[in-house]
Amino acid sequence: MCGIVGYVGEQSALDVVISGLRRLEYRGYDSAGVALVTADGLATDKRAGKLINLEESLDRTPLPAATAGMGHTRWATHGGPTDRNAHPHVDCTGKLAVIHNGIIENFSKLRLGLETNGHDFSSETDTESVAHLLEDAYASSGGNLAQAMRDVCKQLVGAFTLVAVHSDSPDCVVGARRNSPLVVGRGVGENFLASDVS
Ligand code: GLU
């Protein structure tokens, strides 16, 4: 289990998330990624290797400004440490992204059902099933990301911390956890989520 940072506020979400991920580097990881909720929709980047690889990629191709977003450092358990398997994982609409620490033990069964129902997968991770489950739950909850997360958690077996964003819910970063840490930092005009107090 590695690093998770989520942010909503008035600062640059990317700056907060990258500096948060740097503080979590001591845990060890094999890839890193970010998702931002921008005025033009969801923007993501993710890279295998150290955080510097992601930062160099962001320097080459900057993402639009955003005040809500999340970042992840991954320690691969399902699928090798590649760009594709790095988090965040995005749903079929390209509007929803999720990051995850832990293991979804029933992911094979979930994936089979989702693929049968027409969802396209692009990674080998256990995590990507959660993105597609959230896609369906977001639609059936009438666009309520928190309710979608509650509904999806009931279908998951395992220990996890999950954080998700949706570009149609711009000021909202949703987190959930089971037997895995998630710290909530409440500020004035800004709030934080992280997998670790540091
Ligand atoms: N099981 C997930 C994966 O392999 C998350 C690993 C982690 O906790 O970083 O992508």
Side-chain angles (χ1 to χ4, degrees), residues 24-180:
L24 297 173
E25 275 196 293
Y26 75 94
R27 297 176 65 89
Y29 61 99
D30 55 47
S31 51
V34 292
L36 302 176
V37 184
T38 81
D40 301 327
L42 194 69
T44 64
D45 196 357
K46 52 189 196 170
R47 299 286 150 189
K50 291 294 171 199
L51 201 49
I52 189 74
N53 295 354
L54 175 66
E55 291 178 289
E56 283 171 1
S57 169
L58 291 167
D59 284 345
R60 280 193 301 275
T61 316
L63 301 181
T67 52
M70 60 187 194
H72 186 259
T73 47
R74 176 179 187 236
W75 187 284
T77 63
H78 293 70
T82 61
D83 288 353
R84 244 154 52 116
N85 288 335
H87 301 205
H89 291 285
V90 174
D91 72 345
C92 297
T93 70
K95 291 182 167 189
L96 182 147
V98 68
I99 54 178
H100 163 224
N101 280 358
I103 293 175
I104 308 300
E105 284 167 21
N106 58 335
F107 83 97
S108 325
K109 193 168 159 217
L110 294 171
R111 181 169 181 149
L112 193 62
L114 287 158
E115 285 178 329
T116 306
N117 290 334
H119 287 272
D120 287 326
F121 278 68
S122 56
S123 80
E124 298 153 339
T125 64
D126 51 336
T127 306
E128 194 180 347
S129 292
V130 180
H132 297 284
L133 289 173
L134 281 170
E135 174 184 350
D136 289 349
Y138 187 82
S140 34
S141 69
N144 183 330
L145 190 57
Q147 188 55 48
M149 183 64 94
R150 280 187 211 103
D151 294 344
V152 166
C153 285
K154 290 183 194 145
Q155 302 173 58
L156 306 179
V157 176
F160 51 80
T161 301
L162 293 164
V163 175
V165 292
H166 194 293
S167 59
D168 290 342
S169 300
D171 294 323
C172 181
V173 176
V174 166
R177 70 174 201 97
R178 184 187 299 157
N179 297 327
S180 173

